[in-house]
Amino acid sequence: MSDASTSPRPARGRPPRLDQARTIDTALALLDDSGLDALTMRRLADAMGVQAGALYRYFRTKDDLLAAMAERMMADVRVPAGAVDWSGRLSGLARALRQALLAHRDGARVFAGTHSTGPGTLGFAEACVGVLRDAGFGDADAARAMMAVVHFTVGHTLEEQAALRPDGGFPADPEVLREAVTAGGYPHLTAALPTLAEPDYAPHFEFGLALLVTGLAARVSPS
C-alpha cells in the first residue's frame, strides 16, 4: 500500500487525473486537433499530466488505445428510425456509421482494423445483421452482407477524409486534375470531369451505397 505522505490524493471533488474514460476523451480531442500521425502515447500522457507508463494501466499498446477510441466513436452511432423496408434501414445504418467516423479527424483510419468487441461496435453489427436476417438473408449471407456494407462505408470515408484538410477544405486543386486529363487525351475522363472533380463526397457515397443495396436486394431469397 502506498504511503499517503508520498502519494498525494486528488483534491476533494476533483476527478482523478487518470481514468479510462477521460483518457479516451483526451485522445479523441488530440486526434481532432492534430490527426492520427501526431497522436502518440507520450503526447497523450503529457496532455493527461501523467508519465507515459501510467497509460499502460488501461492500454497495453497503442492499438488497444485505438480500439477503445473506435468503440467510443461507435457509441455515438444511432440506429435510424422511420425507414419501413429493410433496404432503407440498412442504408440508414451505413449513413450513421459514416457520420460517426466523419465526426472525428482521421476517424475512419482509427476505426479501420481495430476489431473492437465493445457494446457500441457489436450493437451496430447486431442491428445490421438483424435487418438482413429479417429481410430473408441466411445467417452466412447476412454476416457477409453486413461486412460488405461496413467495408464500403469505412473505405469510402477513408478516401473522403484523406481528401480533407484540417480546416475542412480540399488539398487537391481541380484545375490540376483538369489540365492533366485534357492534356493527356482522355476523352472519357474529360466528359466525366465535373463529377470526378466534385469536392462533395456525399453524392459519391450515396451512389455506391445504392449500388450495394440494390445488389443485395437481387440476391436475397424470397420470404
Side-chain angles (χ1 to χ4, degrees):
M1 183 176 296
S2 298
D3 187 332
S5 64
T6 59
S7 301
R9 297 177 180 177
R12 182 176 297 178
R14 182 177 299 171
R17 186 187 304 176
L18 183 67
D19 65 65
Q20 190 171 30
R22 289 185 61 243
T23 303
I24 295 169
D25 288 343
T26 302
L28 287 171
L30 290 173
L31 178 74
D32 291 339
D33 182 64
S34 302
L36 181 57
D37 292 333
L39 177 62
T40 65
M41 299 296 271
R42 181 174 296 279
R43 187 174 181 191
L44 176 58
D46 289 344
M48 297 294 295
V50 299
Q51 296 295 317
L55 297 177
Y56 296 101
R57 182 189 312 173
Y58 300 115
F59 311 106
R60 293 174 299 173
T61 65
K62 185 177 178 180
D63 286 342
D64 288 344
L65 172 64
L66 295 179
M69 293 167 65
E71 173 61 21
R72 178 64 184 82
M73 289 189 290
M74 292 302 293
D76 293 332
V77 175
R78 295 292 177 264
V79 177
V84 176
D85 62 352
W86 70 266
S87 61
R89 294 197 298 274
L90 186 65
S91 296
L93 284 163
R95 294 183 189 109
L97 174 59
R98 173 174 172 262
Q99 289 303 319
L101 300 179
L102 286 175
H104 294 281
R105 182 175 173 182
D106 292 335
R109 285 182 63 197
V110 170
F111 181 84
T114 54
H115 304 295
S116 170
T117 55
T121 303
L122 294 184
F124 177 83
E126 171 76 6
C128 288
V129 172
V131 165
L132 290 158
R133 292 182 73 237
D134 289 345
F137 287 87
D139 294 346
D141 280 355
R144 293 188 179 105
M146 179 272 293
M147 289 189 288
V149 170
V150 170
H151 293 165
F152 164 73
T153 303
V154 174
H156 185 281
T157 311
L158 277 168
E159 292 293 335
E160 184 171 2
Q161 291 188 310
L164 282 168
R165 291 198 308 256
D167 62 4
F170 287 81
D173 183 351
E175 286 303 316
V176 174
L177 175 62
R178 191 182 313 278
E179 291 174 5
V181 168
T182 54
Y186 303 101
H188 300 304
L189 292 181
T190 299
L193 262 176
T195 300
L196 295 174
E198 170 60 54
D200 183 3
Y201 274 65
H204 306 324
F205 175 77
E206 290 297 330
F207 183 85
L209 180 61
L211 286 180
L212 179 55
V213 173
T214 298
L216 289 173
R219 184 181 179 88
V220 66
S221 302
S223 300

